[in-house]
Amino acid sequence: MTTRITITAATIVGAGQPLDAQALARACNTEIDWVAQAVEAGILQAEGDAPAAWRFHSVDLRSALEARRLQRDFGVELEAAALILDLGREVRRLRARLHAHGLGLG
Amino acid sequence: MEFKDYYSTLGVERTASEDEIRKAYRRLARKYHPDVSKEADAEVRMRDVNEAYEVLHDKEKRAAYDGLAERVARGGGAGPQGGFQPPPGWDEGFEFHHAGSPGDEAGFSDFFSSLFGAAQRRGAARRQYRARGDDQHAAIEIPLGMALQGGVREITLRALQPDAQGHPAWTTRTLEVTIPAGVHPGQYIRLAGQGQPGHGGGESGDLFLEVRIQPHPLYRAEGRDIYMTLPVTPAEAALGAQVRVPTPAGGVVDVAVPAQARNGLKLRLKERGFPGSPPGHLYLLVDVVLPPADTEAARKAYADFARALPFNPRSHLGV
């Protein structure tokens, strides 16, 4: 059976349409407490002062999904996950820079 | 559809302990991690390894899978076209739960979906309480022009859903997604209500699409910035020139190449990258291209040039 659906309500997760803490937790199949811990560990950069006012962008969603995966697969603490994510981001940034300059990794 | 041997995927014996399975998975997850792997098919292998681990590290799934494997070994599970088809009631007595992130199962095989996807949904459907459906994740690859200017992109999602008789049946949803202008790689597009259906009258979850940009023959994206190689002649590089340059948004601009431009010089066209706050820039990387010395006239011109402008680019080597 095939269904055809036209979507008009597509929004970029970002400045105009950020995620609140509950939506971010739901998108990562976790709880708001985990989001608070990830903010504390520096994995997520929350905009806003109080948890109820926190807003998150695409980069936070990606970080949260990756951190959850690292915790599940390797049993790492959040602080270690934060370091691994930082290193991974740096690798990707440098690779993108090489690619942008037309250089491969050989 | 073929029966998948998850033990072989992880390289462990059927009698492997939980600890041995975990260690095998972690070793392979490191080997095929997209940020470190040099293997050409790392992404596919990583997906296979994730799928195998999703089943074998979960006691209920593993027990059900082992029981199914035994039935298959005895000749059960033959489908009408000779492939594998799960025999009726293979998962009786088990209720599977998905404990990972919603994006974890994106891209898992039809084999996995036919076993555990339908079973998880049946379990969820049996719940009496009202609950929102799970969010779903997928990736979408779009051309650079569409990312900058917006457009409509179709994506097709397959899922096993119980039919009117409660039997699992493949359903295909084709979504015509209006891509908002200004989306850049790594961002997520959220489609409200297009995730898993809710239970007991609960609302559907959302679908999150991770944006990837298709390779472009001229432009390369880096975050919000876009890079392009700008070929120039030796004369243009030495003397400076006005050159015409196409922009990713579709226009053409005149760019001043400064005199004595060297290879790799980076020229910035402000705010002509991806929109945002702050917006990205378009960077032009100067590439001095030598005219080919493939005719007698060209070789003479090079020789005349060398006589007229003698210099030694290797003087600093001291030889």
Side-chain angles (χ1 to χ4, degrees):
Chain A
M1 187 177 70
T2 302
T3 315
R4 191 170 197 85
I5 303 169
T6 303
I7 309 288
T8 50
T11 53
I12 301 173
V13 176
Q17 301 278 340
L19 299 175
D20 61 24
Q22 189 178 25
L24 180 67
R26 212 164 42 213
C28 302
N29 201 19
T30 186
E31 307 294 330
I32 289 184
D33 282 352
W34 184 90
V35 172
Q37 290 167 25
V39 170
E40 176 78 24
I43 288 173
L44 304 175
Q45 309 297 318
E47 278 183 4
D49 296 329
W54 280 349
R55 295 293 179 266
F56 300 95
H57 295 194
S58 284
V59 66
D60 299 304
L61 175 55
R62 178 172 185 159
S63 298
L65 289 169
E66 288 183 352
R68 292 272 297 151
R69 171 136 227 131
L70 284 168
Q71 286 195 296
R72 195 202 75 167
D73 294 350
F74 294 96
V76 299
E77 299 288 332
L78 268 179
E79 287 72 15
L83 174 63
I84 295 168
L85 290 183
D86 284 347
L87 294 171
R89 258 194 297 272
E90 185 63 4
V91 167
R92 286 196 292 270
R93 189 186 69 78
L94 292 171
R95 282 198 176 148
R97 177 61 59 91
L98 282 174
H99 175 68
H101 283 74
L103 301 170
L105 291 176
Chain B
M1 183 170 69
E2 296 298 316
F3 183 84
K4 298 190 86 150
D5 184 347
Y6 288 140
Y7 290 97
S8 156
T9 303
L10 291 188
V12 295
E13 299 291 329
R14 287 177 188 280
T15 53
S17 65
E18 286 177 41
D19 193 45
E20 286 168 331
I21 286 172
R22 188 169 53 247
K23 281 181 178 163
Y25 170 74
R26 288 179 177 178
R27 183 172 46 78
L28 292 170
R30 283 181 61 199
K31 182 175 178 185
Y32 296 120
H33 191 283
D35 287 339
V36 295
S37 181
K38 299 271 190 290
E39 310 276 340
D41 59 348
E43 196 172 334
V44 174
R45 298 293 295 271
M46 190 69 224
R47 206 158 50 213
D48 290 344
V49 167
N50 280 334
E51 181 178 320
Y53 185 62
E54 176 67 31
V55 174
L56 298 187
H57 92 286
D58 179 302
K59 280 182 186 162
E60 292 238 37
K61 285 191 183 124
R62 184 180 178 186
Y65 173 79
D66 286 347
L68 177 63
E70 279 178 29
R71 289 176 71 165
V72 169
R74 292 198 302 268
Q81 276 88 43
F84 169 77
Q85 183 174 300
W90 72 275
D91 58 342
E92 220 164 73
F94 295 101
E95 181 160 338
F96 307 120
H97 301 277
H98 176 48
S101 297
D104 291 349
E105 292 176 12
F108 278 6
S109 69
D110 288 356
F111 174 75
F112 177 92
S113 298
S114 70
L115 296 184
F116 302 104
Q120 279 171 185
R121 275 186 279 282
R122 272 202 310 278
R126 280 199 291 270
R127 291 177 213 149
Q128 297 299 308
Y129 54 87
R130 180 185 168 91
R132 184 183 185 277
D134 287 339
D135 289 346
Q136 274 186 292
H137 291 251
I140 186 169
E141 194 172 81
I142 58 175
L144 180 66
M146 185 180 288
L148 291 168
Q149 292 158 333
V152 176
R153 184 81 173 174
E154 280 192 355
I155 65 162
T156 299
L157 301 170
R158 293 178 75 214
L160 272 172
Q161 300 284 358
D163 62 16
Q165 286 76 43
H167 301 128
W170 283 108
T171 59
T172 304
R173 281 189 304 155
T174 299
L175 307 182
E176 279 183 23
V177 183
T178 303
I179 306 293
V183 68
H184 56 79
Q187 279 192 312
Y188 287 83
I189 295 174
R190 183 185 190 183
L191 308 181
Q194 294 300 327
Q196 292 288 341
H199 318 294
E203 62 180 333
S204 297
D206 296 339
L207 174 62
F208 288 90
L209 299 175
E210 184 191 352
V211 174
R212 297 176 185 174
I213 305 292
Q214 289 172 356
H216 190 282
L218 295 183
Y219 306 109
R220 301 175 292 275
E222 189 207 335
R224 287 181 184 164
D225 295 328
I226 300 173
Y227 284 73
M228 189 189 99
T229 300
L230 177 65
V232 297
T233 66
E236 288 169 338
L239 306 174
Q242 287 281 120
V243 297
R244 304 191 77 204
V245 173
T247 64
V252 175
V253 292
D254 286 320
V255 174
V257 177
Q260 302 200 46
R262 53 180 165 64
N263 247 342
L265 177 70
K266 206 156 81 172
L267 307 174
R268 188 182 76 162
L269 273 61
K270 197 177 172 188
E271 298 182 2
R272 287 186 183 268
F274 288 98
S277 183
H281 309 300
L282 172 62
Y283 287 101
L284 308 175
L285 299 170
V286 169
D287 178 29
V288 182
V289 180
L290 299 177
D294 55 358
T295 65
E296 195 51 45
R299 284 190 284 274
K300 182 175 182 308
Y302 270 112
D304 291 345
F305 175 82
R307 275 191 295 275
L309 210 61
F311 85 115
N312 179 9
R314 295 173 296 281
S315 57
H316 65 289
L317 300 181
V319 292

